[in-house]
Amino acid sequence: MKILIVEDEIELSNSMATYLRGESYLCEIAHDHRTALDKIEVFDYDCILLDISLPDGNGLNLLRQLKANNKTDGVIIISARNSIDDKIEGLNLGADDYISKPFHLSELSARIKAVIRRRRFEGTSVLVFNELVIDIEGKSVFIDDKPVDLTRKEYDLLLYLASNKNRIISKNAIAEHLSGDEIMSYDNLDFIYSHIKNLKRKLSMAGCSDYIKSMYGMGYKFEPKS
Amino acid sequence: MKILIVEDEIELSNSMATYLRGESYLCEIAHDHRTALDKIEVFDYDCILLDISLPDGNGLNLLRQLKANNKTDGVIIISARNSIDDKIEGLNLGADDYISKPFHLSELSARIKAVIRRRRFEGTSVLVFNELVIDIEGKSVFIDDKPVDLTRKEYDLLLYLASNKNRIISKNAIAEHLSGDEIMSYDNLDFIYSHIKNLKRKLSMAGCSDYIKSMYGMGYKFEPKS
DNA sequence: CTTCTACAATAAGGATCTTCATAGAAATTA
DNA sequence: TAATTTCTATGAAGATCCTTATTGTAGAAG
């Protein structure tokens, strides 16, 4: 799960990132309008935390541009002002939620969770593929109603593949998704094999095989039987 | 999908190639102006990554020559300088996008994907021919909504033919599209027969025959029924 | 301090790609 | 139409590259 923090106050943005990383999110920070737009154009984020009062421009314009580009990223507007107008305009422009400074990080986290659930998983907090159930809320996985113990990486991997079902995901993408911030050495992607192997083993031991397919030379694909 | 990397920094160009090969692109590297031009004249690339500041000349001139030759290759300009002027001039000369050093490889990859989608597939990321669906984003093929497993070469071949539907594609063109530049002498084009055969077999086994026609003495043609 | 888990690196095993040999089909020529 | 030539299809084996299994290391937990 990837989050973009658009916030110019260094200290605040850092503590947000720290907290959210603790919640297993991958966080990137943009301290200004332009950086944010560049990142948004190229990457897909699960949620964008957008401070309305940016130093180099109006955050609402950024939101406009974002929506004009048909981006599907979730957006939570952050504002220092308690202005109702901003809130209404932001929501009208397509923001998913709104939070006013100062806020508790736990509240922010809860709102993020809700936005992601609504957008990425269409309101549901569980993904169901026949006997395989992924409980996003509880970060747990069940097969035939019996819980399967996965490590954090394994869970992230499964959720990532499952939410991209029937699409081949490159090892580059997996590596990036699993190991937080940008990796600069993409030479040693072998560690992915272990995670894939362990995940496959745990799933099949619980009676759930062949969901994750290796696509020779291309990556991996989650393919539900349906 | 073929990419030409025009970049004199050895290490950077290598890591770019490694990453992009991981994304299933065929990559070639030119370390100088002259080599690049030679390659561009002979081959068609889906995207050219052009470092503006080449050791033996100005990259913008290379771009000019490229456009003067009516090449349809997509171009992404790479620049160390943050100069807005270069960016504007490059885009005026017909470049499709622009990225500044230093950049993240995943960002480069995302921009390449966007350029190719715009240029080759008119913005869409899914090709639909009746019961046959090609998901470019997910590198997956579906027939009657059921996934069809293709190898990388088979997929590339299908995508190439399908994106040139109703046009006869020579075996030379196919060979060039499927291979890197190591093979300058295309005497052994037999490998194409194998890939065509296997592709046809997999498609017809999934209930989708007669899309790929052999044109005796000329090549192959993808001909949707519609 | 010991034990266990998660992660990284290396070696063995498989899938894919290419080549080669041969058979079949289509066009050309007589 | 038959013979000949040219081109394409098929099958199989070796080479190459990728994946999986195994092993080793570091860090966390007890």
Side-chain angles (χ1 to χ4, degrees):
Chain A
M1 292 295 153
K2 230 168 157 183
I3 291 177
L4 178 64
I5 301 169
V6 186
E7 169 63 62
D8 60 317
E9 294 176 41
I10 308 286
E11 198 153 331
L12 174 58
S13 59
N14 283 341
S15 64
M16 285 165 74
T18 303
Y19 186 90
L20 294 174
R21 287 189 183 117
E23 298 286 317
S24 302
Y25 293 108
L26 298 173
C27 298
E28 292 178 19
I29 300 176
H31 289 304
D32 56 63
H33 194 152
R34 162 126 299 282
T35 313
L37 199 58
D38 283 350
K39 281 177 173 288
I40 291 168
E41 276 176 351
V42 174
F43 297 109
D44 287 327
Y45 294 97
D46 297 282
C47 191
I48 298 171
L49 309 178
L50 177 59
D51 188 336
I52 281 288
S53 55
L54 288 171
D56 66 336
N58 187 321
L60 290 174
N61 284 329
L62 180 54
L63 184 54
R64 260 185 217 103
Q65 290 180 264
L66 197 152
K67 291 298 166 184
N69 289 1
N70 286 320
K71 283 291 181 182
T72 60
D73 314 46
V75 176
I76 296 177
I77 288 178
I78 298 172
S79 171
R81 313 170 241 175
N82 256 329
S83 151
I84 295 289
D85 291 346
D86 270 0
K87 170 175 181 171
I88 291 176
E89 185 162 6
L91 294 176
N92 278 340
L93 286 173
D96 298 87
D97 204 348
Y98 184 97
I99 193 170
S100 304
K101 290 191 207 174
F103 49 81
H104 288 296
L105 290 172
S106 55
E107 180 185 353
L108 178 68
S109 173
R111 290 186 184 276
I112 290 170
K113 200 183 288 180
V115 166
I116 288 178
R117 188 170 64 225
R118 281 210 300 276
R119 298 199 69 94
R120 273 277 192 264
F121 305 107
E122 290 152 9
T124 176
S125 62
V126 280
L127 300 179
V128 180
F129 308 96
N130 309 311
E131 75 272 33
L132 173 65
V133 176
I134 305 175
D135 175 5
I136 300 161
E137 187 76 21
K139 287 189 200 300
S140 32
V141 175
F142 300 87
I143 292 175
D144 293 327
D145 294 330
K146 272 173 282 189
V148 182
D149 272 355
L150 300 180
T151 69
R152 197 162 62 78
K153 297 257 186 214
E154 286 159 8
Y155 172 79
D156 279 352
L157 179 55
L158 176 61
L159 182 58
Y160 184 47
L161 291 174
S163 60
N164 285 290
K165 64 174 179 181
N166 287 319
R167 296 168 55 166
I168 296 178
I169 305 297
S170 74
K171 277 188 294 180
N172 282 327
I174 292 175
E176 202 167 308
H177 194 88
L178 289 188
S179 50
D181 262 330
E182 342 286 345
I183 325 163
M184 277 322 257
S185 70
Y186 284 95
D187 314 322
N188 292 15
L189 263 43
D190 294 351
F191 68 98
I192 292 173
Y193 295 138
S194 297
H195 294 303
I196 287 278
K197 186 202 60 167
N198 292 331
L199 177 57
K200 276 179 161 179
R201 183 171 48 77
K202 285 183 181 177
L203 291 183
S204 76
M205 286 205 341
C208 187
S209 313
D210 307 322
Y211 274 81
I212 296 169
K213 299 178 73 168
S214 313
M215 309 307 288
Y216 193 99
M218 305 169 99
Y220 294 91
K221 183 164 76 164
F222 183 89
E223 200 176 276
K225 288 154 194 166
S226 77
Chain B
M1 290 294 154
K2 232 170 155 178
I3 291 177
L4 178 63
I5 300 169
V6 186
E7 169 64 60
D8 60 317
E9 294 176 42
I10 307 285
E11 198 153 333
L12 175 58
S13 59
N14 282 341
S15 63
M16 286 165 73
T18 302
Y19 186 91
L20 294 175
R21 288 190 183 116
E23 297 290 321
S24 299
Y25 292 107
L26 292 172
C27 297
E28 297 173 19
I29 300 177
H31 290 304
D32 56 62
H33 195 151
R34 163 126 300 281
T35 314
L37 201 56
D38 285 351
K39 282 175 171 288
I40 290 168
E41 279 175 350
V42 176
F43 298 110
D44 285 328
Y45 295 95
D46 296 283
C47 192
I48 298 171
L49 310 178
L50 177 58
D51 187 338
I52 281 290
S53 55
L54 288 171
D56 66 336
N58 187 321
L60 290 173
N61 286 328
L62 180 55
L63 183 55
R64 259 185 219 101
Q65 291 180 262
L66 196 152
K67 290 298 167 184
N69 289 0
N70 285 320
K71 283 288 182 183
T72 59
D73 315 47
V75 176
I76 296 177
I77 288 178
I78 298 172
S79 171
R81 313 169 240 175
N82 256 330
S83 152
I84 294 288
D85 290 346
D86 270 0
K87 169 175 181 170
I88 291 176
E89 185 162 6
L91 293 177
N92 279 340
L93 286 172
D96 298 87
D97 204 349
Y98 183 98
I99 193 171
S100 304
K101 289 191 209 176
F103 50 82
H104 289 298
L105 292 170
S106 53
E107 178 180 356
L108 178 68
S109 171
R111 291 191 185 276
I112 290 170
K113 201 182 290 179
V115 165
I116 289 177
R117 190 168 58 220
R118 281 208 301 275
R119 295 197 70 95
R120 287 271 192 261
F121 305 107
E122 291 154 10
T124 177
S125 63
V126 191
L127 301 180
V128 180
F129 309 97
N130 309 311
E131 74 272 34
L132 173 65
V133 175
I134 305 175
D135 174 7
I136 300 164
E137 192 75 22
K139 289 188 202 303
S140 308
V141 175
F142 301 85
I143 292 175
D144 292 326
D145 294 328
K146 271 174 285 192
V148 182
D149 273 357
L150 300 180
T151 69
R152 192 169 26 169
K153 294 272 186 214
E154 287 158 9
Y155 171 79
D156 278 352
L157 177 56
L158 175 61
L159 182 58
Y160 184 46
L161 292 174
S163 61
N164 287 289
K165 66 173 179 181
N166 291 319
R167 294 167 55 173
I168 297 178
I169 305 298
S170 74
K171 279 190 299 178
N172 276 319
I174 293 175
E176 191 201 313
H177 194 87
L178 292 185
S179 323
D181 57 350
E182 306 83 27
I183 315 168
M184 290 295 276
S185 62
Y186 294 108
D187 336 316
N188 296 17
L189 264 43
D190 292 353
F191 68 98
I192 292 173
Y193 293 135
S194 295
H195 291 307
I196 287 276
K197 182 196 56 157
N198 293 330
L199 177 57
K200 278 179 162 177
R201 181 171 49 76
K202 285 184 180 175
L203 291 183
S204 75
M205 284 205 343
C208 188
S209 313
D210 308 322
Y211 273 80
I212 296 169
K213 300 177 75 167
S214 311
M215 310 306 288
Y216 192 94
M218 306 170 94
Y220 294 91
K221 184 164 74 164
F222 182 89
E223 203 175 270
K225 290 155 193 167
S226 72

